[in-house]
Amino acid sequence: MKRNTKVSTAVIRRLPRYYRQLSELQAAGVVRISSSALGRSMGLTASQIRQDLFCFGEFGQQGYGYKVDLLKEEIGEILGISQGHTLIVVGTGNLGRAIIRNFRFSANGFRLLAAFDVDPAVVGTEIAGIPVRHAGGLEDFVAAHSVDVGLLTVPIAAAQQMGDRLMAAGVRGIWNFTNYELTCTRQDVVVESVHFSDSLLTLSYLISQREDMEGNQ
Amino acid sequence: MKRNTKVSTAVIRRLPRYYRQLSELQAAGVVRISSSALGRSMGLTASQIRQDLFCFGEFGQQGYGYKVDLLKEEIGEILGISQGHTLIVVGTGNLGRAIIRNFRFSANGFRLLAAFDVDPAVVGTEIAGIPVRHAGGLEDFVAAHSVDVGLLTVPIAAAQQMGDRLMAAGVRGIWNFTNYELTCTRQDVVVESVHFSDSLLTLSYLISQREDMEGNQ
DNA sequence: TAGATTGTTAATCGATTAACAATC
DNA sequence: TAGATTGTTAATCGATTAACAATC
């Protein structure tokens, strides 16, 4: 009795956390878990977890709970992990290279096809086995390989322009690591941003508050 | 008439975005802006912006709007940018090095004091002018320099252990880049995580949905 | 002054929590 | 069966939006 009608952002943002937690439970050899135990381990209420899952279907057994591997599999399916998404990296500066080398794309259902840059010193080389191509060939490559996502790690001054090119070339999503609020010119393209600055400033606020409270005591 | 009593997470997460947007407006030479214009440029309602600012005080002028530089300054103050926070990086792998080299800590009010690692090959060297010290000296250093934040970029297997050490050593916040849900053992320490995986899986979900919808049309 | 826009309270909307019958 | 726990609806809570008097 799926009723996938308009799942809220709040729910969507929790799905990857469920997936991560279930992976850890699975690795720890846990076979079954109840909504209340899962909630306790994640700082959520049992009600919220059941309500979240209710958006997508019925994955548990009354009186028993959820089978960890099954639920993980189902959530992975909802997230699209088995869809074989493809991705390219645009910009091979320090951060771009680090992500190419470190990030487990395949564990998240993505296949990294190539990297792009304009610097003649890196074009033609490989990073962790991934070929670096000249940015001039971006459009042709995206079309030829039907690339799903472009990871953007270019200097902030080039962000919007390269974002526009990716969208025009036909990617379906942009994973934005520039500290720039990318304007999405195409309705059919999703922009997901990782803003380091926003994260650190949030932390800055929280520890400053704490400090103030101590001062007031 | 500040009424700082319990500001919600939703509001706090928007503060860095306001700050970023105001910085861009300032750079573009914009002097004054109304809540409706700011909202339009950020995809928020004027009401929400006024309501958010209302949590912290009165920063505008009726009939006129907000002075961009003044409001930016005030929000920076709320975020704690001028508090001279200090920070160390724990783990100098690809990502740690990239962040040390790229990230504009000072622009966010942080001073990067040192990096820590266990690899004898990097201990004693410098990365972008930042000395790399042995992780064994972590506790002494944190105490001696009263470090506010520890940026965690160690392998996932060492994440909790190094997190615990940072907390015990006396940091007030941990900026967690490991793909691990750090358990916060101390009530007086804030953990702020940047989970690349969660972000990419959210994007994966959103483009998969889009695909499904196309298929149904 | 007239027009614009804020600060602030009230109304609405949506998300979280509670409750409980269904059922394993 | 009795106990546990889900799926699902109803109640509550909090966040967003609307409204408007205050005032620049």
Side-chain angles (χ1 to χ4, degrees):
Chain A
M1 198 193 287
K2 288 195 195 183
R3 24 168 256 172
N4 205 336
T5 34
K6 198 56 193 157
V7 178
S8 77
T9 322
V11 175
I12 295 167
R13 295 269 161 201
R14 278 193 292 271
L15 291 178
R17 292 186 55 205
Y18 291 138
Y19 188 78
R20 190 149 40 82
Q21 186 67 15
L22 289 164
S23 301
E24 284 184 19
L25 287 167
Q26 192 179 35
V30 179
V31 172
R32 97 166 240 287
I33 194 156
S34 66
S35 57
S36 58
L38 185 58
R40 216 174 307 122
S41 77
M42 294 180 67
L44 304 172
T45 65
S47 229
Q48 181 163 52
I49 288 175
R50 295 207 299 279
Q51 189 71 274
D52 284 356
L53 296 177
F54 180 59
C55 296
F56 302 100
E58 305 177 18
F59 308 114
Q61 295 166 240
Q62 273 139 330
Y64 176 85
Y66 302 87
K67 288 200 167 134
V68 171
D69 55 355
L70 222 94
L71 184 56
K72 181 198 157 191
E73 202 60 37
E74 292 277 12
I75 292 177
E77 204 55 47
I78 293 163
L79 289 169
I81 282 176
S82 67
Q83 295 206 2
H85 289 136
T86 57
L87 165 144
I88 57 172
V89 172
V90 181
T92 62
N94 291 310
L95 183 60
R97 279 203 307 280
I99 293 174
I100 292 171
R101 289 191 182 127
N102 271 1
F103 190 72
R104 304 272 47 236
F105 286 102
S106 62
N108 295 282
F110 278 79
R111 200 150 43 86
L112 174 54
L113 302 182
F116 289 83
D117 209 306
V118 289
D119 183 357
V122 291
V123 171
T125 65
E126 285 194 351
I127 301 171
I130 303 298
V132 181
R133 307 171 71 103
H134 194 277
L138 190 68
E139 283 79 1
D140 287 347
F141 189 92
V142 169
H145 296 80
S146 65
V147 175
D148 293 310
V149 169
L151 189 170
L152 206 58
T153 40
V154 297
I156 201 162
Q160 188 64 55
Q161 186 211 337
M162 289 309 288
D164 287 342
R165 280 181 62 187
L166 279 167
M167 292 188 236
V171 300
R172 296 219 304 283
I174 292 184
W175 199 17
N176 174 36
F177 279 77
T178 70
N179 194 37
Y180 181 81
E181 195 82 11
L182 220 55
T183 302
C184 189
T185 45
R186 302 242 168 175
Q187 239 204 336
D188 54 344
V189 177
V190 183
V191 174
E192 164 72 16
S193 294
V194 178
H195 287 305
F196 289 6
S197 264
D198 289 11
S199 177
L200 183 57
L201 288 179
T202 303
L203 182 57
S204 174
Y205 173 85
L206 293 170
I207 63 176
S208 304
Q209 284 308 104
R210 214 149 278 246
E211 208 168 44
D212 291 353
M213 278 160 59
E214 281 161 22
N216 289 346
Q217 274 166 4
Chain B
M1 200 192 286
K2 287 195 195 183
R3 25 169 255 173
N4 205 336
T5 35
K6 200 54 193 159
V7 178
S8 78
T9 322
V11 174
I12 295 167
R13 294 270 161 201
R14 278 193 292 272
L15 291 178
R17 293 186 55 206
Y18 290 138
Y19 189 77
R20 191 149 40 81
Q21 186 67 15
L22 289 164
S23 301
E24 284 183 20
L25 286 167
Q26 192 179 35
V30 179
V31 173
R32 96 165 243 286
I33 195 157
S34 68
S35 57
S36 59
L38 185 59
R40 215 174 308 123
S41 76
M42 295 181 68
L44 304 172
T45 65
S47 230
Q48 182 161 50
I49 288 175
R50 294 206 300 278
Q51 190 70 276
D52 284 356
L53 296 178
F54 180 60
C55 298
F56 303 100
E58 306 177 17
F59 308 114
Q61 298 169 353
Q62 272 138 330
Y64 176 84
Y66 302 87
K67 287 201 166 131
V68 170
D69 54 356
L70 221 95
L71 185 57
K72 182 199 158 193
E73 202 60 38
E74 292 276 12
I75 292 178
E77 203 55 45
I78 293 164
L79 288 169
I81 283 177
S82 68
Q83 295 206 2
H85 289 135
T86 57
L87 166 145
I88 57 171
V89 171
V90 181
T92 62
N94 291 311
L95 183 59
R97 278 204 306 280
I99 293 174
I100 292 171
R101 288 191 183 126
N102 272 1
F103 190 73
R104 304 270 49 236
F105 287 102
S106 62
N108 294 282
F110 278 78
R111 199 149 43 86
L112 174 54
L113 301 183
F116 289 83
D117 208 307
V118 290
D119 183 357
V122 291
V123 170
T125 65
E126 286 195 350
I127 302 171
I130 303 298
V132 181
R133 307 172 70 103
H134 194 276
L138 190 67
E139 284 78 1
D140 288 347
F141 189 92
V142 169
H145 297 80
S146 66
V147 175
D148 294 310
V149 168
L151 189 169
L152 206 59
T153 38
V154 298
I156 200 162
Q160 188 64 55
Q161 188 210 336
M162 290 309 288
D164 287 342
R165 281 181 61 188
L166 278 168
M167 293 188 235
V171 300
R172 295 219 306 282
I174 292 183
W175 198 18
N176 174 37
F177 279 77
T178 71
N179 195 36
Y180 181 81
E181 194 81 11
L182 220 55
T183 302
C184 190
T185 43
R186 302 243 167 173
Q187 239 202 335
D188 54 345
V189 176
V190 183
V191 174
E192 163 72 17
S193 295
V194 179
H195 286 305
F196 289 7
S197 265
D198 289 12
S199 177
L200 183 57
L201 288 179
T202 303
L203 182 56
S204 174
Y205 173 86
L206 293 171
I207 63 176
S208 303
Q209 283 308 105
R210 214 148 279 247
E211 210 168 43
D212 292 355
M213 277 159 60
E214 280 160 24
N216 289 345
Q217 274 166 3

